Amino acid sequence: MSSKGLINLIPLAGKQLLRHRVRTLLTLLGIGAGIFLFTLVESMQGAVSAVTGAQASEATLVVFRENRYCPSTSRLPEYYAEEIAQIDGVREVIPIQITVNNCGASLDVVTFRGVPPELLHRYAPEIEVLEGSLSTWQKTDDGALVGKNLADRRGLKTGDSFAAAGVRVRINGIIESPNAQDNNVAYVHLPFLQQASQRGLGEVTQFNVRVEDPAMLDRVAEQIDDRFRSGESPTFTQPESAFFARAAQELIELTRFTRWIGLGAVIAVLGLVANAVLLVVRGRVRENAVLQTLGYPDRAIAWLVLLEGLILGLVGGLLGAGCAWLFLHFSHLSFGNEGQIMAITARLDLVLRGMGIALILGGVASLYPAWVSVRRPIVESLRS
Amino acid sequence: MKAEKNFPLVRCAGVAKRYRKGSLWVTPLESLDLEVPRGEFLALMGPSGSGKTTLLNLVSGIDSPSEGRIDIGDIAVHELSRRKLAAWRARHVGYIFQLYHLIPVLSAYENVELPLLPDGQSKRDRRERVEAALSLVGLADRMHHFPRELSGGQEQRVAIARALVADPELLVADEPTGDLDRESADSVLALLRNLAEEQQKTIIMVTHDPKAAAAADRLLHLEKGRLLEDQHVK
């Protein structure tokens, strides 16, 4: 059978699926639900990778209070910045105050990052102001630059004011950044946040320390912690990626568990397609025998069955992955723990992966029914 | 296939079919010899279980004999593999079923087009052949109708067009009028008669209906897998 012959059979397979519309629709809904779940789980995994992986190449250390995990309990004197800056290999020190409305695991975390206004462009150089103005923010004591995801999630726009975690701010701009964390926080002035969060001036949550050479990270971290070991607030310093990984440990474990949900969804789709196609084949034993009598080779019959599985997989995958994309795109979902935020974004590559998996599952699930459809002698099938 | 006149298209020599049913061996056909000249309309009659359909299935290549040889034209059909048999059937045999076996979600046109799809012919070539086949059976004006919109006789005509669309030399029909009223049956028989006379198609038809058998050139009576009587009708 030629490749043209294989192509000629595609419309026939599609029409065969329409013979049992309700059954086909229910199968598509089942596949769609499985792939929806799979795409969501993959998106969660992607969010974890974005947070824990993307930072690894940076030459940045995070200085946190020793034995503290939540930003609300990490309190360091702001003057530590000057002492850290004197350590050999340190290029820059940025004091940061972080205030979150919820330190536990949550799907709606609002995080304020207080940074010296003149240092924002160094702390987060990738950010782009989508609306509003950076200079207005720099001049406004209670101003905030709000990440796009946070703004979309809460329906915020420039000129609005909003309150969370006991802090009320005026929005001077909406920002976007390739760093997913930045899209889920509100940047405010450090002194303002120190006062608004009732910590008082002179106290910060952490320091972000840029070193001159990534090879110096460990040595500089050790020197920082040694310097304050016997001080009023001992520190724990580690590379930014390790800091994120530690802070997000619970989230990582949670998302690792969700892999099983994704796997379960995949197996469910496999079973669903196999069952649907097997039912089709068993209901069409005589009809397939008629086609064989008309001269259809076994390959053509098997291909027709395989096509039906592939079409179910493709359409169901499109339905599930498409719905997952729309859901993530409009829900601006993010989840956070101990101040770390992971934005679950709608990524086209994950949607395509979901569709691809569904297509492959459709094909794999149809292999056995395809074999069943051609193994019986024609005469026996015509009699059935 | 060679198109020599008077040279039999179908030749069966010592053909037998045996199969196991549970612990028993069943022999629906025993040591049958048969020749069917090109362009002949042959009717097979006999009681149920006499081996008529078995013979039809063997000649059409959807079953293989346990013994003997079957030659259709210059092809030794009994020696062909399953794959080669399928390719041979697609080109050289048209099968007409008692219950038409049309696919309900396909129009008359699409049903007739079915045998041409795996061949990879262009849409244009297929259209020409399908329209010609439907015209031949007098259903050119019903080509976009679905089976549920056609009468039994019209459905059988669509099935005949489907059997004809690849222009095979041999047509086999398993009780083609068995599910039709007298008027529709007569019309289908007239069509088969015409295909044998005008198109030189060789037709082998199984029937229980003496009136249908009367439309054939020759009538064979089978009983218990053996040929009882060979009778020229016309």
Side-chain angles (χ1 to χ4, degrees), chain A residues 10 27 35 59 83 104 154-155 178-179 186 194 202 246-247 256 270-271 280 296 306 314 324 327 348:
Chain A
I10 295 174
T27 306
I35 295 301
E83 293 188 34
R154 292 231 164 183
N179 179 354
Q194 286 171 323
R246 190 198 67 158
R256 197 172 289 153
L270 191 71
V280 162
Y296 276 51
L306 206 62
L314 184 68
F327 173 72
L348 193 62

Side-chain angles (χ1 to χ4, degrees), chain A residues 288-309:
Chain A
N288 282 337
V290 169
L291 291 176
Q292 286 173 299
T293 304
L294 298 179
Y296 276 51
D298 290 349
R299 269 189 304 166
I301 302 293
W303 171 240
L304 270 172
V305 174
L306 206 62
L307 269 176
E308 290 186 36

Side-chain angles (χ1 to χ4, degrees), chain A residues 88-152:
Chain A
D88 187 32
V90 172
R91 195 167 67 192
E92 185 174 44
V93 183
I94 301 173
I96 298 163
Q97 171 73 43
I98 293 175
T99 301
V100 292
N101 67 337
N102 189 344
C103 231
S106 170
L107 286 171
D108 184 26
V109 179
V110 177
T111 301
F112 291 103
R113 282 189 187 166
V115 294
E118 67 282 4
L119 292 181
L120 177 64
H121 65 284
R122 287 205 216 157
Y123 174 69
E126 308 92 347
I127 63 170
E128 180 193 346
V129 180
L130 296 178
E131 60 172 75
S133 141
L134 181 64
S135 60
T136 306
W137 175 74
Q138 283 173 327
K139 289 177 213 155
T140 310
D141 287 345
D142 62 346
L145 291 174
V146 179
K148 188 175 181 304
N149 283 355
L150 175 58
D152 288 341

Side-chain angles (χ1 to χ4, degrees), chain B residues 70-189:
Chain B
I70 300 171
D71 294 275
I72 312 287
D74 52 4
I75 305 285
V77 174
H78 61 284
E79 289 175 351
L80 295 180
S81 64
R82 188 178 161 106
R83 188 174 63 82
K84 283 183 178 168
L85 266 176
W88 174 79
R89 279 197 305 272
R91 284 177 171 273
H92 301 293
V93 185
Y95 202 114
I96 301 162
F97 300 91
Q98 180 184 357
L99 297 174
Y100 337 127
H101 290 310
L102 301 179
I103 295 181
V105 286
L106 301 183
S107 66
Y109 179 97
E110 290 165 330
N111 268 292
V112 175
E113 190 186 26
L114 276 174
L116 306 177
L117 293 177
D119 200 26
Q121 290 181 30
S122 71
K123 202 169 181 175
R124 197 173 143 188
D125 290 346
R126 296 202 306 268
R127 191 170 56 234
E128 279 176 16
R129 280 172 170 263
V130 172
E131 286 176 358
L134 280 167
S135 296
L136 201 61
V137 300
L139 282 178
D141 58 338
R142 296 279 194 277
M143 65 171 71
H144 300 303
H145 288 228
F146 286 87
R148 65 176 178 277
E149 298 165 335
L150 300 170
S151 68
Q154 288 171 329
E155 281 193 80
Q156 190 59 292
R157 281 169 175 272
V158 173
I160 293 171
R162 182 180 64 187
L164 286 170
V165 74
D167 195 23
E169 298 93 335
L170 178 63
L171 286 179
V172 294
D174 192 1
E175 300 195 50
T177 57
D179 204 46
L180 299 177
D181 58 54
R182 191 70 262 163
E183 194 183 340
S184 302
D186 287 345
S187 156
V188 165
L189 289 168

